[in-house]
Structures are given as C-alpha cells and as structure tokens.
Amino acid sequence: MFKREVQSLADVIAQCLRHDGLETPLQERRLIESWGKVAGRAVERYTGDRFIRNQTLFVKILNPALRADLSMMRERLVKNLNVEVGARIITDIKFF
C-alpha cells in the first residue's frame, strides 16, 4: 500500500496561493475590507478611497476633524488591522 502525506485543505490552499504569489494581495484586500470593522461604522461613513502602496495604507477621510483624530490613533489602528488579518501587512497609515 502507498503511504500518503495527508494535509488539510486550508494548508494546501495556502501553499498554492504562496506558490503563485497571490497570498500577499489577498491579505492586503482583507485588510482593506476590515477597515470598517476596526475603525468603526461612524468612521467608515466618512471614508473615501483606500489602497495600500509600499506597506502603507492610504485612506481618504472626508471630515478634517476626524482626520486629525485618526492621525493620533495611527499606531493603534496599524496594530489592530494587522491583528485582524493575522499578518504584518502594513507599517503605517496616511490620511488624506
């Protein structure tokens, strides 16, 4: 009889994504989608465009007072977003 190495489906999918170079873009997308959950629904209402470039999350905030408050909470937001995704995806947030 043949002896086979049994792996879970989650491990096989993660291995395929890593091999094809799709793991990081998928995690970046998950991080962008989790912005509303981490920052809160009130903040999400005043949020415009969001994108990641060079491990920096750029977020357009439509309210200047909210932008100033969020810039003070930058480190905590970075930590909570990375914890939500389960990997260190971003190192900084820029509000514009």
Side-chain angles (χ1 to χ4, degrees):
M1 296 187 92
F2 294 104
K3 194 172 192 180
R4 295 184 179 149
E5 184 181 325
V6 179
Q7 294 180 341
S8 70
L9 185 58
D11 292 340
V12 172
I13 291 173
Q15 185 180 14
C16 289
L17 287 173
R18 194 173 304 115
H19 180 267
D20 292 339
L22 298 173
E23 183 179 33
T24 303
L26 180 64
Q27 288 177 337
E28 288 177 352
R29 186 68 187 164
R30 287 180 182 160
L31 187 132
I32 290 171
E33 293 297 322
S34 67
W35 169 256
K37 182 178 178 184
V38 172
R41 297 209 183 260
V43 174
E44 189 176 23
R45 286 193 346 231
Y46 293 103
T47 300
D49 297 334
R50 298 169 294 212
F51 60 91
I52 296 176
R53 185 170 295 142
N54 295 333
Q55 293 185 332
T56 302
L57 175 64
F58 292 89
V59 181
K60 181 172 185 169
I61 302 295
L62 305 174
N63 187 335
L66 182 61
R67 186 180 315 131
D69 288 343
L70 288 175
S71 65
M72 290 185 213
M73 300 183 343
R74 178 178 296 153
E75 292 176 14
R76 189 171 65 178
L77 286 170
V78 167
K79 179 184 167 229
N80 290 343
L81 284 167
N82 284 329
V83 166
E84 182 71 27
V85 175
R88 186 177 168 98
I89 302 298
I90 61 171
T91 57
D92 195 17
I93 299 178
K94 301 286 184 185
F95 300 106
F96 65 97

